[in-house]
Each structure stands twice: as structure tokens, then as C-alpha cells.
Amino acid sequence: MRVLQDPLIGPECRAMFEEGEVDDRFLMILFLMLERLRNNSSWKPYLDMLPSTFGNPLWFTDDELLELKGTTLYRATELQNLMKGISICCREKRLLSLYEDKAKGLVQKLLILDGDLEIEVCFEDFLWANSDIQSSLNHDSGVSHSDISAGDLIDGKDEERSKVPGVDGQSNETVWVEGLVPGIDFCNHNLKAVATWEVDGTGMTIGVPQSMYLLSAEKTPFQMEKEITISYGNKGNEELLYLYGFVIDNNPDEYLMVHYPVEAIQNVPFADSKMQLLEAQKAEMRCLLPKRLLAHGFFPEGATSNDNNGKGKAEKICSFSWSGQRRMPSYINKLVFPEEFLTALRTIAMQEDELFKVTSFLEELVGSEGVRQPTDTEVKTAVWEACGDSGALQLLFDLLQTKVMDLEENSGTEDCDTELLEKAQDVKNVEQCESKDTDEPGHYKLMSRNTWSSIVYRKGQKQLARLFLKEAEHALHLSLSEGG
């Protein structure tokens, strides 16, 4: 909105925006790029403090990016938009095209109008603004977003938004808009943040309506010369590295993403019927497995959690058996995997006789004439009663085993990563970080911060993949032993 209202660039941008030629992100990139180039910009003190380089994987060298190979983040970096399938090469071409077609000429024209005749506009300025926008928009006020994967991040589902009452013309409405927040975006992330940020909607707190301020989160008086940190939310290293370019060693909010490829369903028996059942159940084809789930599993050693110890899971599953033909498994309260994902795996792994049973169950319920459509819960019930857990758990075991193999194929086991990290003596000083990659015994080449972050991230992924594989294997053995 500030861009569209700007007297210099507003008219041109509004015309492009109303015609659908550009989106709100482009407008912010354009504004940041232009203000950085202008000699007389009132934003210069702020812009001079913004970083000139970035540590997220989109800025990694080819060698640094290879350290991520086998991880979800590697694929996410290769495909800036997983849903649209844009590769890194295509992404750069797309950004270059956007720069050449829309930004370059407009910025040059506006600079001339502003009297800055000698300034040359280059593609690097556009890339800088694009990266600053991405990192700044994703600061969080401390709300948990642990259900977000790298694919979601690329789609921008976790962007910083600010409440602006009345912008839609109704004073009682609140509309969320994206925006840069100079000052607050300088705060680093900490698991134990010393401050939160608040919106001063009326201006009663600091005298400026719709402004923002920092609020101490400490119970004791704030210590002078202490860094003010905020929480970006309960984010795993996958999110932290992709959005901000840093990781947390032993991150308690780490998670593993597991998915069943949609395209693979076409190759399973009775694919069309199973696709209909998946749709009817609103089944999830992927799941996020937070580290904290392990605290309620079969092997909880060392795991921590703040939730309700899995209470309520058994009651939810118990409602699935209306005929009583299938007994509730003894392990139900120890099963750490989301029911929505197991629902999808049960359907995909279904055998011909089980598919026939599901059809029969549903006909009994709604009649052969199909007087009404069964609900998603009723379809889930029929599928569970016909299939049990063993087929789903076998498929889950296979997916996790493949995940482990993918992670270890290029960089070895978790122990290999631990050995590399032990040789990185001081990650705060890149010049002192070392790697075992050298030709001379007893000497080590420098390890970049990006490489160190990649190793920490992939090590955590390998650890979680192994732990959840162990959970799936034990659950599968129990299911088979109980006739599941």
C-alpha cells in the first residue's frame, strides 16, 4: 500500500498492479530496490543496515548445495515452487525476465525523474531486494507453525503479516497484509526470546497508531548491553535454513517430512477406485513428524514433549469399528504417526478382497441404491475395519527406509556428520571452522558457515528418519502379531 501511494512510483505501479502484471511482492521488491539506489532516500540508514549477502540455500554455491543432497530442502531449493515445478535454472531465468521486462526500465526511469541520472541499474540489485524481502517477510511473532513444510514455505504460507483494521472499508473488519517492519527485522531468533513484538493499533502505548513495539518477556529487569531477541516461532532447521540462513544445533522443534508421491498411485492396482476413496476420506498424502512425537512412542528415551501425552488417540480410533469385527490394537496409544496419513496409506496398500469389503460395508450403511453419500468418517471406518494397520505400516516402513537411504546416499550416516561437526571448532568464526576434506594428514580445509549449517540440518534429518523408522518397524511387528 505504501508503494501504491508513493508520489514517485505509485502511479506506474498502480497501473501494472491493477492490470495484474505484477503482484504485491514485486511492488515491495521494486520499492526496496529503488530506495537503495536513490541518493536522497530517507530510508538510507535502514537500507545500509540490511545484509548484502544471504545464507539461505538459494544463495549457496554448487558445492555447498550438494551438502543438502537427499534432503527435502535440497529438492525445495531445486524447485523454488514445488507446485509449479520451477527449477533453479528456470527460477533465475524467470527472475531475470521479470527484471528485464518490468523492473529495470521502470527503476531507471524513476531514478531519472528523481534526478539520479548517473546510477546504473543491474540484476544484482533486483536479486538483493528479492532476498531481503523473503527473509524479512518471514519473521514471526512467536506463533507456532510446526505444521509447515519446505513446500509450504516456498508458497509463502508463513509470511509476516500485520493487522490493519478498516482497510476494507469496514471498521469492524481486520485484514492481514504483508509488510516489512524496519527495526524489528533486526532482532535475531532465540528459543528463549527476551522480547515479543506487539501492534499498537490505537497508538495508546507509544503514541503512533498502527505502529509496532518490542515488549520485554523477562520477569526480571532487563539487563543492559544484552541482545534483544525474539522468537520466529517453533520452526525446525528446514524452515530456519531456507528462510533465514541459519540452524539450531539439537533443535527441539525439528521435524521430518514424509510423503507418498501422488504420481505413484497411478501404478498401484485399482488406482481409480483408491483415488475415489482417498478423496472421500480427505486423506493426507504427506505428513510432518515433529521430534516431540517420539516422547509418546515405543522408544521415548531422550525425547521431550509439551502436549497431552497422546490422550484421545484411542478414543478417536475406537469409533472406527461399528461392527466390532476388528479389535483395537494394543499399541494404539503408542502409535506416533498421524491418523490422516495412515488413512491414506491404508487405502493405497489395500488388497482386492479388502476393497470388496469396504464396498460391502458402505452399501450396508447407505444402501445399494446410494440414497446418500457416506461421510468421510464412515469411509475411514470402513477402510480401517477392512484393512487394519499392517498394510499401512508396511508402506510407511518402506517410505521411511527409502528416506534414510536417500539421506545417507551422498553424505554417509549420522556418525559421519557428527565427525565432521566435531572438527568444526568454532562456527561463530568461519575462518576457524575446519573440514576433514584435505589432502594433507592432520590438516583441514576451512568449512563455510553454509556447509556447517547444511551438515547440522541433514544430521538432524537422518536422526529423525532412523528414530521414526524404528517406531514404524516395531508397530508393524505388533500389528502382524495381533493379526492386524
Side-chain angles (χ1 to χ4, degrees):
M1 291 187 292
R2 286 289 296 271
V3 173
L4 296 178
Q5 294 166 2
D6 187 87
L8 181 65
I9 69 175
E12 295 255 9
C13 289
R14 183 175 292 277
M16 290 192 297
F17 188 71
E18 290 177 349
E19 290 295 322
E21 298 180 27
V22 298
D23 58 13
D24 54 350
R25 179 177 286 257
F26 175 81
L27 295 181
M28 287 187 281
I29 291 172
L30 189 71
F31 181 77
L32 199 60
M33 178 183 174
L34 179 64
E35 291 301 309
R36 187 194 194 197
L37 293 169
R38 291 174 63 192
N39 289 321
N40 60 346
S41 171
S42 61
W43 289 93
K44 185 170 176 55
Y46 167 64
L47 298 176
D48 286 346
M49 287 188 283
L50 292 179
S52 57
T53 59
F54 303 88
N56 63 334
L58 292 176
W59 289 73
F60 277 17
T61 65
D62 290 342
D63 288 341
E64 288 171 341
L65 190 58
L66 286 176
E67 300 288 350
L68 294 173
K69 199 165 185 181
T71 67
T72 301
L73 191 49
Y74 179 81
R75 293 189 292 273
T77 308
E78 281 196 313
L79 308 174
Q80 187 204 24
N81 189 318
L82 293 177
M83 304 305 293
K84 295 180 181 178
I86 300 172
S87 67
I88 287 180
C89 178
C90 293
R91 168 188 167 271
E92 290 178 348
K93 289 180 180 178
R94 183 178 62 127
L95 289 175
L96 182 60
S97 175
L98 189 61
Y99 165 74
E100 293 286 353
D101 296 345
K102 307 279 189 218
K104 182 179 180 181
L106 180 58
V107 169
Q108 194 71 66
K109 174 183 175 181
L110 294 170
L111 286 171
I112 293 172
L113 288 175
D114 200 41
D116 291 314
L117 303 176
E118 305 300 325
I119 297 177
E120 285 295 325
V121 182
C122 64
F123 183 49
E124 283 68 27
D125 296 317
F126 185 80
L127 285 179
W128 171 84
N130 178 68
S131 292
D132 254 312
I133 291 289
Q134 173 171 295
S135 62
S136 295
L137 280 179
N138 286 288
H139 277 47
D140 194 282
S141 61
V143 180
S144 171
H145 291 278
S146 58
D147 59 338
I148 295 175
S149 72
D152 294 326
L153 296 170
I154 301 165
D155 288 331
K157 291 184 181 178
D158 187 28
E159 295 173 334
E160 180 180 278
R161 299 167 295 179
S162 178
K163 292 181 181 179
V164 182
V167 296
D168 63 344
Q170 300 180 25
S171 58
N172 292 329
E173 292 282 341
T174 296
V175 176
W176 292 96
V177 295
E178 296 176 347
L180 292 170
V181 189
I184 291 176
D185 59 1
F186 297 144
C187 292
N188 282 328
H189 169 69
N190 198 306
L191 294 174
K192 296 181 179 179
V194 300
T196 60
W197 57 261
E198 303 286 345
V199 179
D200 188 4
T202 62
M204 292 293 290
T205 302
I206 58 175
V208 183
Q210 299 311 321
S211 58
M212 305 182 74
Y213 61 93
L214 288 167
L215 184 67
S216 175
E218 296 194 338
K219 297 180 180 179
T220 57
F222 198 81
Q223 183 180 345
M224 296 296 291
E225 302 300 324
K226 181 177 181 179
E227 180 184 8
I228 299 175
T229 56
I230 62 175
S231 171
Y232 297 176
N234 299 342
K235 290 175 167 54
N237 283 337
E238 193 161 278
E239 293 179 78
L240 293 175
L241 185 54
Y242 186 84
L243 295 175
Y244 310 110
F246 71 87
V247 296
I248 298 174
D249 202 5
N250 297 315
N251 189 342
D253 296 311
E254 191 65 297
Y255 58 79
L256 184 76
M257 197 269 275
V258 183
H259 79 287
Y260 186 89
V262 176
E263 61 274 11
I265 298 179
Q266 301 301 326
N267 299 322
V268 302
F270 312 104
D272 291 341
S273 297
K274 291 180 179 180
M275 285 293 289
Q276 291 177 5
L277 286 172
L278 288 169
E279 185 176 349
Q281 297 172 90
K282 301 181 176 66
E284 298 286 345
M285 299 298 292
R286 70 175 185 182
C287 72
L288 293 180
L289 301 173
K291 188 178 190 177
R292 63 179 180 271
L293 289 178
L294 293 166
H296 311 311
F298 300 108
F299 310 100
E301 295 85 357
T304 59
S305 175
N306 295 321
D307 60 25
N308 62 357
N309 296 316
K311 292 179 181 178
K313 185 177 292 187
E315 289 77 7
K316 180 180 177 182
I317 304 295
C318 283
S319 64
F320 277 21
S321 183
W322 70 77
S323 69
Q325 294 180 17
R326 184 174 294 282
R327 290 182 304 154
M328 286 301 105
S330 63
Y331 52 81
I332 193 63
N333 284 322
K334 291 289 186 180
L335 201 59
V336 298
F337 303 102
E339 179 59 31
E340 293 79 5
F341 188 56
L342 290 178
T343 292
L345 298 185
R346 286 188 193 103
T347 306
I348 294 168
M350 194 183 300
Q351 302 298 311
E352 182 177 6
D353 62 319
E354 295 169 339
L355 184 59
F356 177 76
K357 285 182 182 178
V358 170
T359 304
S360 299
F361 285 146
L362 294 177
E363 284 183 355
E364 286 180 25
L365 188 67
V366 302
S368 58
E369 302 297 325
V371 178
R372 67 173 179 86
Q373 290 295 320
T375 66
D376 58 334
T377 301
E378 289 170 342
V379 178
K380 288 178 185 178
T381 303
V383 170
W384 180 80
E385 188 150 341
C387 304
D389 290 333
S390 56
L393 291 171
Q394 178 65 63
L395 188 51
L396 177 61
F397 175 83
D398 294 341
L399 290 174
L400 287 166
Q401 192 170 51
T402 300
K403 186 88 172 177
V404 170
M405 293 171 63
D406 288 344
L407 288 167
E408 295 182 351
E409 182 179 3
N410 297 284
S411 55
T413 64
E414 182 187 341
D415 289 340
C416 295
D417 291 336
T418 299
E419 182 181 352
L420 287 174
L421 292 174
E422 287 175 351
K423 295 184 183 299
Q425 308 215 341
D426 183 5
V427 299
K428 293 181 180 179
N429 187 339
V430 175
E431 285 70 31
Q432 294 181 20
C433 292
E434 300 178 340
S435 166
K436 71 175 184 178
D437 184 14
T438 181
D439 296 328
E440 299 182 35
H443 295 275
Y444 301 98
K445 295 172 71 174
L446 296 179
M447 178 189 290
S448 71
R449 179 181 294 274
N450 292 344
T451 298
W452 182 86
S453 296
S454 298
I455 296 172
V456 170
Y457 159 63
R458 78 187 185 206
K459 176 189 172 185
Q461 292 289 287
K462 291 172 186 176
Q463 180 189 54
L464 286 186
R466 282 284 182 194
L467 291 173
F468 280 113
L469 178 65
K470 187 178 179 181
E471 291 284 334
E473 182 178 27
H474 191 71
L476 176 60
H477 286 324
L478 291 177
S479 177
L480 291 171
S481 68
E482 296 181 12

